[in-house]
Amino acid sequence: GQQLNQSPQSMFIQEGEDVSMNCTSSSIFNTWLWYKQDPGEGPVLLIALYKAGELTSNGRLTAQFGITRKDSFLNISASIPSDVGIYFCAGQIGGAQKLVFGQGTRLTINP
Amino acid sequence: GAVVSQHPSWVICKSGTSVKIECRSLDFQATTMFWYRQFPKQSLMLMATSNEGSKATYEQGVEKDKFLINHASLTLSTLTVTSAHPEDSSFYICSARKVGAGRTDTQYFGPGTRLTVL
């Protein structure tokens, strides 16, 4: 089936550091979505991207829709303890309504 | 934003019983909702697409007679796990599709339901 490769799988950083994670695919995506999931909770939408090349920010978070339409990255600047969690990329291929999910990036922050 | 609720947030049941989980879009209408299942430390696995007023579309390997889906209104979809067994214990999450201006297409997730079958 369709697959998104998300990396890294886990990150251990110091508070205040910047974070970068990305997703790549062999398929062309029409939409890229980035979610954060806390333990025992549903994913929360962070940033939605709809156009190739689009760069969007949400506070300390910035995400870009790759120009090839096959990749996307998410950056977090000046990390704080509440950034801890699992980050998922997800995308839509063609006219499909359903999302394809990455494997997730688990972020741990040392105070 | 868009708010999606799920009820109950957790449920414990005996093996052989049925459990119903509700998913509601609170401030928007959703002709399409999705049901996912998530195992510990894994990504979300799509079970089925729920379409208002029509039959759900199930992913390969998901038993439609075991996981009954009803989407009777534009704001409510239900998932019923019939004759539940311990292997059905999992975290079930729904999402609702919101189509916005410029044909933007976004899914908003509910908080999840933890099902434990004894």
Side-chain angles (χ1 to χ4, degrees):
Chain A
Q2 305 293 345
Q3 200 170 19
L4 276 181
N5 296 312
Q6 184 171 350
S7 65
Q9 291 187 13
S10 61
M11 301 183 73
F12 298 84
I13 63 169
Q14 296 294 124
E15 182 178 350
E17 289 184 5
D18 297 342
V19 172
S20 183
M21 59 192 78
N22 69 85
C23 282
T24 61
S25 175
S26 58
S27 300
I28 292 176
F29 282 72
N30 291 333
T31 300
W32 283 98
L33 304 171
W34 284 93
Y35 294 90
K36 177 177 183 280
Q37 186 178 27
D38 292 328
E41 301 288 334
V44 173
L45 181 66
L46 300 175
I47 293 178
L49 304 162
Y50 302 106
K51 296 180 182 179
E54 182 179 357
L55 181 70
T56 299
S57 293
N58 178 7
R60 294 177 295 105
L61 278 62
T62 302
Q64 184 160 30
F65 193 142
I67 197 70
T68 65
R69 307 180 72 95
K70 295 182 178 181
D71 64 310
S72 177
F73 71 74
L74 173 71
N75 289 340
I76 305 172
S77 63
S79 59
I80 60 177
S82 61
D83 291 334
V84 166
I86 302 176
Y87 293 79
F88 290 101
C89 64
Q92 289 176 317
I93 298 173
Q97 297 179 7
K98 61 184 181 182
L99 293 177
V100 177
F101 275 85
Q103 302 96 323
T105 296
R106 182 180 296 272
L107 179 62
T108 302
I109 299 176
N110 299 316
Chain B
V3 182
V4 177
S5 70
Q6 267 183 256
H7 178 81
S9 55
W10 59 270
V11 57
I12 301 173
C13 69
K14 292 182 178 180
S15 185
T17 61
S18 295
V19 174
K20 179 185 285 188
I21 303 170
E22 294 185 348
C23 178
R24 295 180 185 273
S25 55
L26 298 185
D27 53 0
F28 67 101
Q29 293 183 332
T31 56
T32 308
M33 292 185 176
F34 301 86
W35 287 96
Y36 295 82
R37 186 172 179 178
Q38 186 177 36
F39 292 104
K41 297 188 177 181
Q42 293 190 20
S43 188
L44 285 76
M45 183 187 77
L46 179 65
M47 299 175 65
T49 301
S50 171
N51 300 297
E52 187 266 337
S54 64
K55 291 182 179 180
T57 304
Y58 290 82
E59 295 299 300
Q60 191 173 7
V62 178
E63 300 176 56
K64 62 179 182 181
D65 294 330
K66 180 167 185 62
F67 298 100
L68 301 179
I69 291 172
N70 184 276
H71 193 157
S73 79
L74 290 173
T75 59
L76 173 63
S77 174
T78 61
L79 169 69
T80 301
V81 183
T82 62
S83 186
H85 288 92
E87 58 266 29
D88 298 323
S89 299
S90 190
F91 193 51
Y92 292 87
I93 313 173
C94 72
S95 71
R97 176 176 177 247
K98 182 176 182 181
V99 180
R103 302 176 71 180
T104 57
D105 192 335
T106 309
Q107 283 187 33
Y108 294 89
F109 285 84
T113 297
R114 172 73 58 190
L115 170 63
T116 302
V117 184
L118 302 177

